[in-house]
Every structure is written in structure tokens, then in C-alpha cells.
Amino acid sequence: MNITRKFLSALAAGALVLGAFGLMGCEDSKESATVKVGLLHSLTGPMAISEKSVRDAEVLAIEQINKAGGVLGKQIVFVEEDGASEPSTFATKAEKLIDIEKVVTVFGCWTSSSRKAVKPIFEEYKSLLWYPVQYEGMEMSPNIVYTGAAPNQQIVPAIEYLISKGYKKLFLLGSDYVFPRTANMIINAQAKAAGIAVVGEEYADMDQTDFAAIIAKIEAAKPDVIVNTLNGTGNVSFFKQMSEKNYSSKEYMTMSFSIAEEEVATIGPAILKGHMVSWNYYQTTSTPENEAFVAAYKAKFGEKRVTSDPAEAAYDAVYLWAEAVKVAKSFEVEAILTALKSGAISFKAPEGVVTVDGKSQHLSKPVRVGVVTDDGLIKEVFATAGPVVPDPYLTTYDWAVKAGLQPLN
């Protein structure tokens, strides 16, 4: 009897072990059918107004790629973290995604402060970040692919456009962090070389809501255009307070680098009508790919939702990553970087064909200047003839080289 009990116990134990192995095998099989990526954006805090649409565009791209069969036979699943508009939180969440969640790549960030906070983490772990927003340049990391504009694809051509239209007195207004300060360093050098004046330069805290003192300085300086690098809710407060004083684009024209369709919808088309912006893409961009993108975005997130340049650049990033994976035939970062260095990774994007420059890991992309219309959309008033090759350090501009421009941390 004891022998029988021992035999049955052993048999039961064996069955449990075999069952466990069987379950492990099923789990392994399940895991092998998917690949995990990370999304890292501000879903709360002052930057949430801008970053939610970026996150949504990435989700849309993932769903479309999965519907078309996935990547290397695997379905993409995403793990999402909230950077909460704080660079230190971005750093913590980036490490969590890489070290704990074991994602193969991350799509994320908006502000340059958040990107610079996570940059050493991606470099230490030899992971890969796809950064979707225009920025100040003066940076190249082997562990970041920059799918937004370099300064020669937004800032510099915007100032050239203003000069061509006769604007000669610039007031520089920005949020107090690295992008606006570096952008304004570039603009000061460009303006000096062009013989036009910078009549004022002011910065606001990221969570600042009272712009009365800054508006008073603008009134005293009497600029013919305000070059605006405010971000997040700062734009809402500034433009609404300008409107309260009955100032429109007729009294104080602005050229903005961080106001897209999403911000226009929040601030109000009536307030922003006639003001200028500089990007690479607008919801009104006329390509078949954009018609499909806008329709798919609205079908998923609601007819009232709008697309934007950062959202489109984020959408492109997911497709470019998938293309690089296919070329590399691997999800490993080193293999993907080798594929990117070939200069052959491109995507027929809503903005037009974009290609990863193998040296800088920035994109060649078209430049577009637009004007906000009363329906809340942006009308293109200038565009380059084709894609512009990225020049993050502005080495092709004599005035920039002579100025000895340096990156700000």
C-alpha cells in the first residue's frame, strides 16, 4: 500500500512537472508570436496637451502593421509609461521599459529636456529611442533616431521665410529649457548675419500661467514678429492673454515652432487665425498617404481629432522601425543600427518620402511654412521643392560655423 501511494505520488508529481513544462511551452509559444515595444510620453502634466496625439499616432501605426501581418511574423505589443512632463520621471520610466519590461525599442519623449534625461540611459543599455519631435539640433546619438526636424528643417528656413517677407525686428519668446534657448542661440546668429534685429528675448517657466510682464516687454520692444518657442500649456496662457488685450496676428504676428493642429484646437482658431508656424507636415498636406492617414486617425480616435506634425513623425517612426527590422532580419539593436547606416531605410509617409540619413540618424524631409486658418487647420504657404537633408550641427551654414554654435545641456 505504501509502495502504491509512493508510486501514485511520484506519478502525480511527474504529471505536475510535465504540465508545468507544457504550460511553459505554451507561454513560450505565445511570447514567440509577439514582440514588445515601449511608448513613453507625457499623459499628465503641462505637456500632455501635445503628447497624447503623438502616443495615439504610434498606437495607430502599431495596429496597422499588426493587421498587415506584423514584423518578422510577430505581432507588436506595447507597454506604455507616463513621463508626466518631468525629465526625471522620463529617465526612471525609460529604465523601467528597457531593464524590467525588456522592450526591444522605445518610441517617446517630446521636450529636449526629457530626451536629454533619457539619452544616457539608452546609451548605457545600448537600446534604441525613436524621438518624434522637431528639436534644436546640436546632437547625434547612436542610440536615438530623430524623426522630427533638425534645425535646418524648421528653425532656419522659418527665419529665412520671415526675412523674405520683410520682417526685420524679432522678439524671441520661449519656455525656459534647452530647446528654446538653443533655438534662440541659432536665431540670434542667423539674424546677425542677415542684418536684422533681435529686439527682445524672454523665457517662461514650463508651468507659467501669467504672461502680463512678458507681454508688457513685447509692447515696449515693438517687434514686427514674435518668434515663439513656448511649449505645452504655456502657449495656451500666452495667446489667450494676448487675445484678452485684443492683440491678433495683425498687431503682433507670431512664427511658432511648437503650435500644431492639436494646440490650435485647444487655444482656439479665432485666437490663432493668421499666425504662422513652421513644420514638415500639416493635416492639409496633399498626398494620397496623408489622406489615408487622416481618415484612419479620425476613424480610430474620433472625427473631431486632428493630426499634427509630431503625431505624423511618430507614426513614421513606427513604420521606419518596422522597415529597419525587416532589412536587418532581426529585432536586435546592433543589427537595426547596421540597417540604418545603409541609408536605405525610407517610408512613403503622409508628409512625403522620408529617409533615415545613415550618418546622423535624422530624416531627410520636406519643409513647410503654414498659416492658421479660421477652421482650425493650417494652410501651407511655402514648401521646399523636395526633402531637405538633415544638418543637425548646421555645418553647411557659414554664419553658424563662424558663430561657433555649441550644444546646450
Side-chain angles (χ1 to χ4, degrees):
M1 189 71 172
N2 289 339
I3 294 174
T4 304
R5 284 178 178 169
K6 287 180 180 179
F7 173 76
L8 291 173
S9 297
L11 187 62
L16 286 172
V17 171
L18 288 171
F21 274 114
L23 288 172
M24 288 171 61
C26 289
E27 186 64 27
D28 285 345
S29 175
K30 181 181 178 181
E31 288 181 358
S32 68
T34 62
V35 60
K36 190 192 297 186
V37 303
L39 306 186
L40 179 57
H41 294 291
S42 295
L43 305 179
T44 57
M47 288 306 303
I49 177 181
S50 298
E51 294 192 57
K52 186 177 185 300
S53 61
V54 175
R55 173 265 180 201
D56 289 348
E58 290 162 354
V59 170
L60 175 62
I62 289 169
E63 289 188 359
Q64 289 180 339
I65 292 169
N66 282 341
K67 189 175 180 179
V71 186
L72 298 186
K74 296 179 184 289
Q75 292 284 290
I76 307 167
V77 296
F78 66 87
V79 180
E80 188 166 18
E81 292 290 344
D82 180 9
S85 304
E86 290 287 344
S88 59
T89 303
F90 269 91
T92 300
K93 295 301 180 68
E95 189 162 22
K96 179 183 177 184
L97 285 170
I98 298 166
D99 192 38
I100 297 175
E101 297 292 349
K102 306 295 183 185
V103 299
V104 298
T105 200
V106 176
F107 304 94
C109 300
W110 177 298
T111 67
S112 288
S113 296
S114 65
R115 187 194 69 254
K116 286 186 176 292
V118 304
K119 177 175 173 282
I121 294 168
F122 281 89
E123 291 173 347
E124 178 184 352
Y125 282 95
K126 300 189 186 305
S127 189
L128 189 59
L129 170 69
W130 296 76
Y131 177 65
V133 185
Q134 43 57 264
Y135 84 118
E136 71 284 352
M138 308 296 153
E139 179 180 298
M140 286 193 298
S141 170
N143 298 92
I144 301 176
V145 180
Y146 306 78
T147 65
N152 73 306
Q153 298 166 320
Q154 186 198 36
I155 298 168
V156 173
I159 301 304
E160 290 175 342
Y161 180 79
L162 291 177
I163 294 170
S164 76
K165 294 300 179 181
Y167 292 97
K168 296 179 180 179
K169 296 171 64 180
L170 316 182
F171 192 101
L172 310 184
L173 172 62
S175 299
D176 194 5
Y177 75 102
V178 63
F179 166 62
R181 287 192 174 274
T182 308
N184 289 339
M185 177 180 68
I186 293 168
I187 294 166
N188 271 294
Q190 186 178 4
K192 182 179 179 181
I196 63 172
V198 173
V199 297
E201 184 171 341
E202 291 292 325
Y203 297 92
D205 292 337
M206 285 294 291
D207 58 354
Q208 186 166 323
T209 57
D210 185 354
F211 282 82
I214 287 177
I215 292 172
K217 290 180 180 179
I218 292 171
E219 292 168 329
K222 295 181 171 55
D224 53 21
V225 66
I226 300 166
V227 181
N228 171 36
T229 50
L230 291 171
N231 265 271
T233 54
N235 274 313
V236 180
S237 298
F238 171 70
F239 279 101
K240 286 190 174 181
Q241 286 167 42
M242 288 287 280
S243 178
E244 287 166 3
K245 299 196 68 148
N246 294 318
Y247 292 148
S248 68
S249 60
K250 294 179 181 178
E251 290 75 30
Y252 290 102
M253 174 62 76
T254 64
M255 169 69 80
S256 295
F257 297 149
S258 293
I259 287 184
E261 290 85 345
E262 192 77 35
E263 290 76 20
V264 173
T266 301
I267 296 167
I271 292 174
L272 289 176
K273 180 183 178 181
H275 287 290
M276 292 184 285
V277 297
S278 178
W279 294 101
N280 312 105
Y281 162 90
Y282 303 113
Q283 182 171 299
T284 56
T285 295
S286 181
T287 67
E289 292 75 22
N290 187 42
E291 184 176 340
F293 170 57
V294 173
Y297 191 87
K298 288 179 175 292
K300 180 168 178 61
F301 300 111
E303 191 59 32
K304 292 184 178 181
R305 290 291 302 277
V306 289
T307 59
S308 66
D309 182 286
E312 190 263 355
Y315 179 83
D316 298 349
V318 180
Y319 272 97
L320 287 165
W321 166 77
E323 181 61 25
V325 168
K326 291 174 186 176
V327 171
K329 298 179 181 178
S330 172
F331 294 105
E332 295 297 323
V333 171
E334 284 303 317
I336 291 171
L337 290 176
T338 298
L340 293 173
K341 285 180 175 63
S342 70
I345 305 303
S346 64
F347 173 54
K348 203 169 185 181
E351 68 183 76
V353 176
V354 295
T355 305
V356 181
D357 175 66
K359 294 181 179 179
S360 68
Q361 291 182 185
H362 292 63
L363 302 189
S364 291
K365 54 203 292 136
V367 179
R368 294 178 168 98
V369 174
V371 173
V372 179
T373 58
D374 55 11
D375 61 359
L377 298 179
I378 298 171
K379 177 185 177 183
E380 181 182 301
V381 293
F382 166 80
T384 54
V388 175
V389 175
D391 182 11
Y393 287 92
L394 299 177
T395 58
T396 58
Y397 296 88
D398 288 342
W399 55 263
V401 174
K402 289 177 181 177
L405 300 179
Q406 298 293 324
L408 298 179
N409 294 322

mmCIF file of all heavy atoms in Angstrom, residues 222-260:
data_model
loop_
_atom_site.group_PDB
_atom_site.id
_atom_site.type_symbol
_atom_site.label_atom_id
_atom_site.label_comp_id
_atom_site.label_asym_id
_atom_site.label_seq_id
_atom_site.Cartn_x
_atom_site.Cartn_y
_atom_site.Cartn_z
ATOM 1 N N LYS A 222 8.236 96.673 -29.380
ATOM 2 C CA LYS A 222 7.617 96.931 -30.689
ATOM 3 C C LYS A 222 8.213 96.071 -31.829
ATOM 4 O O LYS A 222 8.665 96.595 -32.859
ATOM 5 C CB LYS A 222 7.729 98.404 -31.051
ATOM 6 C CG LYS A 222 6.941 99.322 -30.128
ATOM 7 C CD LYS A 222 7.075 100.770 -30.551
ATOM 8 C CE LYS A 222 6.122 101.679 -29.785
ATOM 9 N NZ LYS A 222 6.255 101.587 -28.311
ATOM 10 N N PRO A 223 8.197 94.747 -31.676
ATOM 11 C CA PRO A 223 8.693 93.883 -32.760
ATOM 12 C C PRO A 223 7.695 93.821 -33.904
ATOM 13 O O PRO A 223 6.509 94.132 -33.722
ATOM 14 C CB PRO A 223 8.799 92.518 -32.081
ATOM 15 C CG PRO A 223 7.691 92.536 -31.059
ATOM 16 C CD PRO A 223 7.650 93.963 -30.550
ATOM 17 N N ASP A 224 8.157 93.433 -35.085
ATOM 18 C CA ASP A 224 7.189 93.185 -36.161
ATOM 19 C C ASP A 224 6.831 91.702 -36.259
ATOM 20 O O ASP A 224 5.918 91.332 -36.993
ATOM 21 C CB ASP A 224 7.655 93.744 -37.506
ATOM 22 C CG ASP A 224 9.038 93.288 -37.922
ATOM 23 O OD1 ASP A 224 9.507 92.247 -37.417
ATOM 24 O OD2 ASP A 224 9.662 93.970 -38.756
ATOM 25 N N VAL A 225 7.518 90.859 -35.484
ATOM 26 C CA VAL A 225 7.138 89.447 -35.396
ATOM 27 C C VAL A 225 7.696 88.858 -34.104
ATOM 28 O O VAL A 225 8.803 89.213 -33.660
ATOM 29 C CB VAL A 225 7.634 88.645 -36.623
ATOM 30 C CG1 VAL A 225 9.154 88.583 -36.677
ATOM 31 C CG2 VAL A 225 7.043 87.236 -36.641
ATOM 32 N N ILE A 226 6.914 87.983 -33.489
ATOM 33 C CA ILE A 226 7.357 87.240 -32.302
ATOM 34 C C ILE A 226 7.714 85.834 -32.762
ATOM 35 O O ILE A 226 6.893 85.149 -33.373
ATOM 36 C CB ILE A 226 6.243 87.170 -31.235
ATOM 37 C CG1 ILE A 226 5.833 88.569 -30.791
ATOM 38 C CG2 ILE A 226 6.695 86.323 -30.031
ATOM 39 C CD1 ILE A 226 4.533 88.596 -30.000
ATOM 40 N N VAL A 227 8.940 85.412 -32.485
ATOM 41 C CA VAL A 227 9.357 84.045 -32.800
ATOM 42 C C VAL A 227 9.143 83.220 -31.534
ATOM 43 O O VAL A 227 9.820 83.424 -30.522
ATOM 44 C CB VAL A 227 10.813 83.992 -33.282
ATOM 45 C CG1 VAL A 227 11.197 82.551 -33.619
ATOM 46 C CG2 VAL A 227 11.002 84.881 -34.506
ATOM 47 N N ASN A 228 8.204 82.295 -31.606
ATOM 48 C CA ASN A 228 7.664 81.641 -30.411
ATOM 49 C C ASN A 228 8.122 80.196 -30.270
ATOM 50 O O ASN A 228 7.813 79.358 -31.112
ATOM 51 C CB ASN A 228 6.130 81.696 -30.470
ATOM 52 C CG ASN A 228 5.476 80.861 -29.390
ATOM 53 O OD1 ASN A 228 5.966 80.768 -28.271
ATOM 54 N ND2 ASN A 228 4.364 80.234 -29.729
ATOM 55 N N THR A 229 8.837 79.909 -29.178
ATOM 56 C CA THR A 229 9.229 78.536 -28.858
ATOM 57 C C THR A 229 8.661 78.102 -27.508
ATOM 58 O O THR A 229 9.249 77.270 -26.810
ATOM 59 C CB THR A 229 10.764 78.379 -28.864
ATOM 60 O OG1 THR A 229 11.350 79.417 -28.069
ATOM 61 C CG2 THR A 229 11.318 78.452 -30.273
ATOM 62 N N LEU A 230 7.514 78.677 -27.118
ATOM 63 C CA LEU A 230 6.807 78.166 -25.944
ATOM 64 C C LEU A 230 6.333 76.750 -26.232
ATOM 65 O O LEU A 230 6.058 76.389 -27.372
ATOM 66 C CB LEU A 230 5.594 79.042 -25.615
ATOM 67 C CG LEU A 230 5.862 80.457 -25.094
ATOM 68 C CD1 LEU A 230 4.564 81.242 -25.034
ATOM 69 C CD2 LEU A 230 6.538 80.412 -23.717
ATOM 70 N N ASN A 231 6.191 75.952 -25.167
ATOM 71 C CA ASN A 231 5.688 74.586 -25.308
ATOM 72 C C ASN A 231 4.574 74.325 -24.320
ATOM 73 O O ASN A 231 4.489 74.969 -23.263
ATOM 74 C CB ASN A 231 6.819 73.574 -25.090
ATOM 75 C CG ASN A 231 7.468 73.138 -26.387
ATOM 76 O OD1 ASN A 231 7.043 72.184 -27.017
ATOM 77 N ND2 ASN A 231 8.491 73.859 -26.806
ATOM 78 N N GLY A 232 3.733 73.351 -24.664
ATOM 79 C CA GLY A 232 2.693 72.890 -23.753
ATOM 80 C C GLY A 232 1.677 73.963 -23.418
ATOM 81 O O GLY A 232 1.285 74.789 -24.256
ATOM 82 N N THR A 233 1.244 73.992 -22.145
ATOM 83 C CA THR A 233 0.176 74.905 -21.729
ATOM 84 C C THR A 233 0.615 76.360 -21.719
ATOM 85 O O THR A 233 -0.231 77.259 -21.645
ATOM 86 C CB THR A 233 -0.348 74.512 -20.341
ATOM 87 O OG1 THR A 233 0.752 74.450 -19.419
ATOM 88 C CG2 THR A 233 -1.038 73.152 -20.368
ATOM 89 N N GLY A 234 1.925 76.618 -21.797
ATOM 90 C CA GLY A 234 2.401 77.992 -21.884
ATOM 91 C C GLY A 234 1.825 78.706 -23.094
ATOM 92 O O GLY A 234 1.490 79.904 -23.036
ATOM 93 N N ASN A 235 1.698 77.986 -24.208
ATOM 94 C CA ASN A 235 1.108 78.569 -25.411
ATOM 95 C C ASN A 235 -0.342 78.976 -25.178
ATOM 96 O O ASN A 235 -0.785 80.020 -25.662
ATOM 97 C CB ASN A 235 1.190 77.566 -26.566
ATOM 98 C CG ASN A 235 2.510 77.636 -27.303
ATOM 99 O OD1 ASN A 235 2.982 78.704 -27.638
ATOM 100 N ND2 ASN A 235 3.109 76.472 -27.550
ATOM 101 N N VAL A 236 -1.071 78.152 -24.440
ATOM 102 C CA VAL A 236 -2.479 78.452 -24.170
ATOM 103 C C VAL A 236 -2.599 79.758 -23.391
ATOM 104 O O VAL A 236 -3.345 80.668 -23.769
ATOM 105 C CB VAL A 236 -3.143 77.297 -23.386
ATOM 106 C CG1 VAL A 236 -4.606 77.618 -23.104
ATOM 107 C CG2 VAL A 236 -3.028 75.979 -24.146
ATOM 108 N N SER A 237 -1.824 79.863 -22.312
ATOM 109 C CA SER A 237 -1.896 81.063 -21.464
ATOM 110 C C SER A 237 -1.462 82.306 -22.224
ATOM 111 O O SER A 237 -2.129 83.347 -22.162
ATOM 112 C CB SER A 237 -1.013 80.874 -20.226
ATOM 113 O OG SER A 237 -1.458 79.794 -19.446
ATOM 114 N N PHE A 238 -0.355 82.219 -22.957
ATOM 115 C CA PHE A 238 0.182 83.395 -23.654
ATOM 116 C C PHE A 238 -0.803 83.919 -24.699
ATOM 117 O O PHE A 238 -1.137 85.118 -24.718
ATOM 118 C CB PHE A 238 1.517 83.070 -24.313
ATOM 119 C CG PHE A 238 2.023 84.164 -25.212
ATOM 120 C CD1 PHE A 238 2.465 85.360 -24.682
ATOM 121 C CD2 PHE A 238 2.028 84.002 -26.594
ATOM 122 C CE1 PHE A 238 2.906 86.391 -25.508
ATOM 123 C CE2 PHE A 238 2.477 85.018 -27.424
ATOM 124 C CZ PHE A 238 2.921 86.220 -26.879
ATOM 125 N N PHE A 239 -1.267 83.059 -25.570
ATOM 126 C CA PHE A 239 -2.122 83.535 -26.656
ATOM 127 C C PHE A 239 -3.482 84.000 -26.154
ATOM 128 O O PHE A 239 -4.057 84.959 -26.689
ATOM 129 C CB PHE A 239 -2.262 82.464 -27.737
ATOM 130 C CG PHE A 239 -1.094 82.421 -28.678
ATOM 131 C CD1 PHE A 239 -0.106 81.460 -28.546
ATOM 132 C CD2 PHE A 239 -0.963 83.364 -29.685
ATOM 133 C CE1 PHE A 239 0.984 81.426 -29.406
ATOM 134 C CE2 PHE A 239 0.126 83.349 -30.553
ATOM 135 C CZ PHE A 239 1.103 82.373 -30.409
ATOM 136 N N LYS A 240 -4.010 83.359 -25.129
ATOM 137 C CA LYS A 240 -5.299 83.802 -24.585
ATOM 138 C C LYS A 240 -5.161 85.166 -23.922
ATOM 139 O O LYS A 240 -6.058 86.023 -24.035
ATOM 140 C CB LYS A 240 -5.860 82.760 -23.618
ATOM 141 C CG LYS A 240 -6.399 81.529 -24.341
ATOM 142 C CD LYS A 240 -7.170 80.599 -23.437
ATOM 143 C CE LYS A 240 -7.814 79.474 -24.254
ATOM 144 N NZ LYS A 240 -8.594 78.541 -23.414
ATOM 145 N N GLN A 241 -4.031 85.398 -23.257
ATOM 146 C CA GLN A 241 -3.822 86.698 -22.618
ATOM 147 C C GLN A 241 -3.535 87.790 -23.660
ATOM 148 O O GLN A 241 -3.926 88.948 -23.482
ATOM 149 C CB GLN A 241 -2.704 86.592 -21.588
ATOM 150 C CG GLN A 241 -3.166 85.854 -20.333
ATOM 151 C CD GLN A 241 -2.047 85.436 -19.411
ATOM 152 O OE1 GLN A 241 -1.104 86.180 -19.170
ATOM 153 N NE2 GLN A 241 -2.160 84.222 -18.865
ATOM 154 N N MET A 242 -2.883 87.437 -24.758
ATOM 155 C CA MET A 242 -2.720 88.394 -25.859
ATOM 156 C C MET A 242 -4.086 88.738 -26.454
ATOM 157 O O MET A 242 -4.375 89.905 -26.761
ATOM 158 C CB MET A 242 -1.817 87.797 -26.939
ATOM 159 C CG MET A 242 -0.350 87.712 -26.557
ATOM 160 S SD MET A 242 0.502 89.315 -26.542
ATOM 161 C CE MET A 242 0.812 89.552 -28.306
ATOM 162 N N SER A 243 -4.939 87.731 -26.591
ATOM 163 C CA SER A 243 -6.279 87.951 -27.149
ATOM 164 C C SER A 243 -7.120 88.839 -26.237
ATOM 165 O O SER A 243 -7.911 89.666 -26.707
ATOM 166 C CB SER A 243 -6.977 86.609 -27.370
ATOM 167 O OG SER A 243 -8.281 86.788 -27.870
ATOM 168 N N GLU A 244 -6.945 88.674 -24.934
ATOM 169 C CA GLU A 244 -7.683 89.496 -23.974
ATOM 170 C C GLU A 244 -7.341 90.978 -24.121
ATOM 171 O O GLU A 244 -8.141 91.851 -23.758
ATOM 172 C CB GLU A 244 -7.402 89.016 -22.546
ATOM 173 C CG GLU A 244 -8.076 87.689 -22.220
ATOM 174 C CD GLU A 244 -7.541 87.046 -20.947
ATOM 175 O OE1 GLU A 244 -6.682 87.675 -20.288
ATOM 176 O OE2 GLU A 244 -7.977 85.923 -20.619
ATOM 177 N N LYS A 245 -6.166 91.254 -24.649
ATOM 178 C CA LYS A 245 -5.760 92.641 -24.899
ATOM 179 C C LYS A 245 -6.086 93.065 -26.335
ATOM 180 O O LYS A 245 -5.634 94.107 -26.812
ATOM 181 C CB LYS A 245 -4.261 92.789 -24.644
ATOM 182 C CG LYS A 245 -3.855 92.466 -23.210
ATOM 183 C CD LYS A 245 -2.461 92.973 -22.875
ATOM 184 C CE LYS A 245 -2.442 94.475 -22.856
ATOM 185 N NZ LYS A 245 -1.494 95.066 -21.890
ATOM 186 N N ASN A 246 -6.868 92.190 -27.016
ATOM 187 C CA ASN A 246 -7.288 92.427 -28.401
ATOM 188 C C ASN A 246 -6.123 92.444 -29.385
ATOM 189 O O ASN A 246 -6.174 93.112 -30.422
ATOM 190 C CB ASN A 246 -8.088 93.743 -28.513
ATOM 191 C CG ASN A 246 -9.409 93.669 -27.777
ATOM 192 O OD1 ASN A 246 -10.111 92.662 -27.843
ATOM 193 N ND2 ASN A 246 -9.737 94.730 -27.047
ATOM 194 N N TYR A 247 -5.074 91.685 -29.049
ATOM 195 C CA TYR A 247 -3.945 91.540 -29.964
ATOM 196 C C TYR A 247 -4.150 90.297 -30.824
ATOM 197 O O TYR A 247 -4.377 89.202 -30.306
ATOM 198 C CB TYR A 247 -2.631 91.414 -29.204
ATOM 199 C CG TYR A 247 -2.204 92.662 -28.464
ATOM 200 C CD1 TYR A 247 -1.489 92.569 -27.280
ATOM 201 C CD2 TYR A 247 -2.499 93.930 -28.969
ATOM 202 C CE1 TYR A 247 -1.084 93.710 -26.596
ATOM 203 C CE2 TYR A 247 -2.096 95.072 -28.290
ATOM 204 C CZ TYR A 247 -1.397 94.958 -27.101
ATOM 205 O OH TYR A 247 -0.992 96.089 -26.438
ATOM 206 N N SER A 248 -4.086 90.468 -32.122
ATOM 207 C CA SER A 248 -4.193 89.354 -33.061
ATOM 208 C C SER A 248 -2.930 89.321 -33.910
ATOM 209 O O SER A 248 -1.961 90.042 -33.646
ATOM 210 C CB SER A 248 -5.420 89.539 -33.945
ATOM 211 O OG SER A 248 -5.239 90.653 -34.820
ATOM 212 N N SER A 249 -2.955 88.525 -34.970
ATOM 213 C CA SER A 249 -1.807 88.456 -35.866
ATOM 214 C C SER A 249 -1.571 89.788 -36.584
ATOM 215 O O SER A 249 -0.474 90.052 -37.071
ATOM 216 C CB SER A 249 -1.999 87.328 -36.892
ATOM 217 O OG SER A 249 -3.173 87.562 -37.663
ATOM 218 N N LYS A 250 -2.589 90.635 -36.644
ATOM 219 C CA LYS A 250 -2.431 91.940 -37.296
ATOM 220 C C LYS A 250 -1.562 92.869 -36.452
ATOM 221 O O LYS A 250 -0.750 93.630 -36.982
ATOM 222 C CB LYS A 250 -3.794 92.575 -37.545
ATOM 223 C CG LYS A 250 -4.644 91.818 -38.555
ATOM 224 C CD LYS A 250 -5.998 92.482 -38.748
ATOM 225 C CE LYS A 250 -6.851 91.713 -39.747
ATOM 226 N NZ LYS A 250 -8.196 92.332 -39.916
ATOM 227 N N GLU A 251 -1.741 92.805 -35.115
ATOM 228 C CA GLU A 251 -0.945 93.663 -34.227
ATOM 229 C C GLU A 251 0.421 93.048 -33.932
ATOM 230 O O GLU A 251 1.439 93.736 -33.960
ATOM 231 C CB GLU A 251 -1.687 93.912 -32.907
ATOM 232 C CG GLU A 251 -2.905 94.805 -33.013
ATOM 233 C CD GLU A 251 -4.108 94.120 -33.629
ATOM 234 O OE1 GLU A 251 -4.226 92.878 -33.465
ATOM 235 O OE2 GLU A 251 -4.922 94.792 -34.268
ATOM 236 N N TYR A 252 0.428 91.748 -33.635
ATOM 237 C CA TYR A 252 1.670 91.045 -33.300
ATOM 238 C C TYR A 252 1.687 89.682 -33.980
ATOM 239 O O TYR A 252 1.164 88.696 -33.457
ATOM 240 C CB TYR A 252 1.815 90.869 -31.780
ATOM 241 C CG TYR A 252 2.075 92.154 -31.025
ATOM 242 C CD1 TYR A 252 1.054 92.782 -30.329
ATOM 243 C CD2 TYR A 252 3.339 92.737 -31.032
ATOM 244 C CE1 TYR A 252 1.285 93.962 -29.632
ATOM 245 C CE2 TYR A 252 3.582 93.923 -30.343
ATOM 246 C CZ TYR A 252 2.555 94.528 -29.646
ATOM 247 O OH TYR A 252 2.802 95.701 -28.968
ATOM 248 N N MET A 253 2.272 89.642 -35.150
ATOM 249 C CA MET A 253 2.422 88.369 -35.857
ATOM 250 C C MET A 253 3.367 87.464 -35.071
ATOM 251 O O MET A 253 4.351 87.933 -34.486
ATOM 252 C CB MET A 253 2.982 88.602 -37.255
ATOM 253 C CG MET A 253 3.302 87.333 -38.030
ATOM 254 S SD MET A 253 1.843 86.305 -38.314
ATOM 255 C CE MET A 253 1.049 87.249 -39.626
ATOM 256 N N THR A 254 3.063 86.159 -35.058
ATOM 257 C CA THR A 254 3.993 85.197 -34.466
ATOM 258 C C THR A 254 4.355 84.121 -35.476
ATOM 259 O O THR A 254 3.555 83.768 -36.347
ATOM 260 C CB THR A 254 3.424 84.505 -33.204
ATOM 261 O OG1 THR A 254 2.281 83.738 -33.581
ATOM 262 C CG2 THR A 254 3.044 85.499 -32.130
ATOM 263 N N MET A 255 5.575 83.626 -35.323
ATOM 264 C CA MET A 255 6.031 82.424 -36.021
ATOM 265 C C MET A 255 6.323 81.405 -34.926
ATOM 266 O O MET A 255 7.246 81.593 -34.119
ATOM 267 C CB MET A 255 7.286 82.700 -36.846
ATOM 268 C CG MET A 255 7.979 81.442 -37.385
ATOM 269 S SD MET A 255 7.040 80.557 -38.665
ATOM 270 C CE MET A 255 7.407 81.561 -40.109
ATOM 271 N N SER A 256 5.525 80.335 -34.869
ATOM 272 C CA SER A 256 5.646 79.355 -33.783
ATOM 273 C C SER A 256 6.245 78.050 -34.272
ATOM 274 O O SER A 256 5.974 77.598 -35.388
ATOM 275 C CB SER A 256 4.270 79.081 -33.168
ATOM 276 O OG SER A 256 3.751 80.232 -32.537
ATOM 277 N N PHE A 257 7.023 77.419 -33.395
ATOM 278 C CA PHE A 257 7.669 76.150 -33.715
ATOM 279 C C PHE A 257 7.064 74.966 -32.961
ATOM 280 O O PHE A 257 7.465 73.826 -33.191
ATOM 281 C CB PHE A 257 9.168 76.227 -33.402
ATOM 282 C CG PHE A 257 9.909 77.250 -34.229
ATOM 283 C CD1 PHE A 257 11.005 77.900 -33.712
ATOM 284 C CD2 PHE A 257 9.501 77.553 -35.519
ATOM 285 C CE1 PHE A 257 11.701 78.847 -34.470
ATOM 286 C CE2 PHE A 257 10.180 78.492 -36.289
ATOM 287 C CZ PHE A 257 11.284 79.143 -35.757
ATOM 288 N N SER A 258 6.148 75.227 -32.042
ATOM 289 C CA SER A 258 5.549 74.126 -31.282
ATOM 290 C C SER A 258 4.032 74.229 -31.208
ATOM 291 O O SER A 258 3.410 73.644 -30.322
ATOM 292 C CB SER A 258 6.140 74.074 -29.864
ATOM 293 O OG SER A 258 7.506 73.708 -29.906
ATOM 294 N N ILE A 259 3.440 74.965 -32.123
ATOM 295 C CA ILE A 259 1.979 75.005 -32.227
ATOM 296 C C ILE A 259 1.572 74.278 -33.502
ATOM 297 O O ILE A 259 1.925 74.694 -34.609
ATOM 298 C CB ILE A 259 1.446 76.448 -32.238
ATOM 299 C CG1 ILE A 259 1.563 77.041 -30.830
ATOM 300 C CG2 ILE A 259 -0.005 76.493 -32.715
ATOM 301 C CD1 ILE A 259 0.978 78.423 -30.703
ATOM 302 N N ALA A 260 0.868 73.186 -33.316
ATOM 303 C CA ALA A 260 0.328 72.423 -34.437
ATOM 304 C C ALA A 260 -1.193 72.358 -34.282
ATOM 305 O O ALA A 260 -1.775 73.038 -33.438
ATOM 306 C CB ALA A 260 0.954 71.026 -34.481
#
